[in-house]
Amino acid sequence: MPRRDAQRNYERLLTEGEVAFDRDGVGASLDDIAKAASVGNATLYRHFPSRAAILEAIYGERVRTLPAVAASLVTDGDPGAALVTWLRTVISLLNGSRGLREAFEAATMADSELRHIEWPQIVRAAAKPLLANAQAAGVIRPDLTTAELITLLTAIAKAATPADAERCLTLLIDGLGA
């Protein structure tokens, strides 16, 4: 069990990290996060040896809720509606946090320092059965791959406002119809 002061430092780093990443994006200064948490840089790096590690600690649990949501929808009687509900859940999650949205996007890029964050793989795996069911029901075009769907979803999440993202998602869904 960590010492109380170490646990407090860890929690302050998470809190201040989330504030900084949501304000400044994934490029937020780690030094500024440590300073805002009233700890030294060594303390930050002892808890989080990389930018990816602190991003994972702050946002990873939220991304890991998506497979459970997908699993609960996969047996829905309307495969098209189930897929759309899940896509809206993903968009809502990504649009709820600039830091999470930017980190997710960066994790999809081969040349990014965040490419080792496994969130895109988690989301693709969760989407796969929902997409397959919607395709089997004939409501989504059969040539769409899960990777393409996630790429489109990531692009929509970058929309300027939640209203813009919702409109783009509606256009995407209409365009993907079989």
Side-chain angles (χ1 to χ4, degrees):
M1 178 140 183
R3 293 184 343 232
R4 283 189 198 152
D5 61 331
Q7 185 62 37
R8 275 193 310 270
N9 290 343
Y10 180 85
E11 295 298 328
R12 281 199 313 259
L13 286 165
L14 292 179
T15 299
E16 295 301 332
E18 184 167 8
V19 168
F21 291 129
D22 284 346
R23 181 188 60 233
D24 302 328
V26 294
S29 166
L30 297 181
D31 291 344
D32 289 349
I33 291 170
K35 185 177 179 181
S38 301
V39 301
N41 291 356
T43 299
L44 182 140
Y45 287 107
R46 188 170 35 258
H47 288 290
F48 309 107
S50 66
R51 182 174 303 273
I54 191 169
L55 287 163
E56 175 65 40
I58 293 169
Y59 302 114
E61 190 173 313
R62 295 177 209 174
V63 174
R64 285 179 176 70
T65 65
L66 294 172
V69 173
S72 73
L73 293 168
V74 84
T75 58
D76 188 301
D78 183 346
L83 179 62
V84 170
T85 298
W86 188 79
L87 294 173
R88 283 197 167 97
T89 300
V90 175
I91 291 292
S92 177
L93 178 70
L94 294 176
N95 276 343
S97 166
R98 177 182 177 187
L100 173 55
R101 183 179 60 252
E102 288 184 10
F104 186 89
E105 180 186 4
T108 67
M109 298 177 192
D111 62 344
S112 169
E113 71 175 299
L114 303 179
R115 69 186 173 279
H116 301 296
I117 294 177
E118 295 181 351
W119 302 340
Q121 295 86 335
I122 290 167
V123 172
R124 274 195 297 275
K128 193 171 187 165
L130 291 168
L131 179 59
N133 286 353
Q135 288 171 323
V139 294
I140 297 292
R141 56 187 298 154
D143 61 336
L144 179 69
T145 68
T146 307
E148 291 167 336
L149 180 63
I150 300 310
T151 298
L152 293 167
L153 203 55
T154 303
I156 289 171
K158 289 177 64 173
T161 66
D164 291 340
E166 179 60 32
R167 169 100 172 113
C168 289
L169 182 58
T170 299
L171 291 169
L172 172 67
I173 292 162
D174 290 347
L176 292 177

